[in-house]
Amino acid sequence: SLENIFDGIIEGNFPGLARDLDIQIQEAQRKPGKFITKRSLPSNIVMRLSKVKTKERILSTVRQEFQVIYKGKLIRLTENFSVETQQARKDWSPIFSLFKQNN
């Protein structure tokens, strides 16, 4: 099941975190990715955790490690943002780029 996959990812990459946190998955579902005929993209799995603090701790740990591996393959764990949040980030991206360039 998807919950077992997620547990395996966390346990395999962050064993200390798996022991410290009581990870309770509220909902898990597969989301279809964009289909490109020239290359196969992995499907997205969306997990909804029952505790926001748990999600934040997992994501901060993932950001520190930079690599998460499952069954020998590099995977990416990210937050699932709403369409509105994604559009707002896209709109602000050029402004943040200018700030970075000018320190």
Side-chain angles (χ1 to χ4, degrees), residues 21-58:
L21 295 177
D22 178 27
I23 300 173
Q24 298 173 355
I25 299 172
Q26 186 176 354
E27 179 183 356
Q29 60 185 357
R30 287 188 186 271
K31 293 283 188 177
K34 295 178 183 173
F35 184 72
I36 299 173
T37 56
K38 295 189 181 201
R39 63 185 170 122
S40 64
L41 293 174
S43 63
N44 298 319
I45 298 174
V46 177
M47 299 284 179
R48 181 174 296 185
L49 302 176
S50 59
K51 296 179 184 175
V52 173
K53 294 283 186 193
T54 302
K55 177 190 79 167
E56 290 172 352
R57 182 127 178 245
I58 290 170

Side-chain angles (χ1 to χ4, degrees):
S1 77
L2 297 176
E3 290 88 355
N4 292 337
I5 291 172
F6 186 71
D7 289 340
I9 291 168
I10 297 300
E11 183 65 38
N13 290 278
F14 317 107
L17 188 64
R19 282 190 302 271
D20 292 346
L21 295 177
D22 178 27
I23 300 173
Q24 298 173 355
I25 299 172
Q26 186 176 354
E27 179 183 356
Q29 60 185 357
R30 287 188 186 271
K31 293 283 188 177
K34 295 178 183 173
F35 184 72
I36 299 173
T37 56
K38 295 189 181 201
R39 63 185 170 122
S40 64
L41 293 174
S43 63
N44 298 319
I45 298 174
V46 177
M47 299 284 179
R48 181 174 296 185
L49 302 176
S50 59
K51 296 179 184 175
V52 173
K53 294 283 186 193
T54 302
K55 177 190 79 167
E56 290 172 352
R57 182 127 178 245
I58 290 170
L59 289 173
S60 69
T61 304
V62 167
R63 284 186 211 109
Q64 291 170 1
E65 294 294 321
F66 297 113
Q67 287 189 350
V68 179
I69 297 173
Y70 180 68
K71 292 188 177 179
K73 298 199 183 225
L74 193 63
I75 63 167
R76 184 176 14 180
L77 296 178
T78 59
E79 286 186 86
N80 185 28
F81 294 111
S82 68
V83 175
E84 294 83 14
T85 303
Q86 289 176 351
Q87 185 60 44
R89 283 180 159 218
K90 193 178 198 180
D91 293 343
W92 280 91
S93 181
I95 297 166
F96 288 130
S97 295
L98 284 173
F99 283 142
K100 276 187 180 179
Q101 288 174 358
N102 296 325
N103 287 329

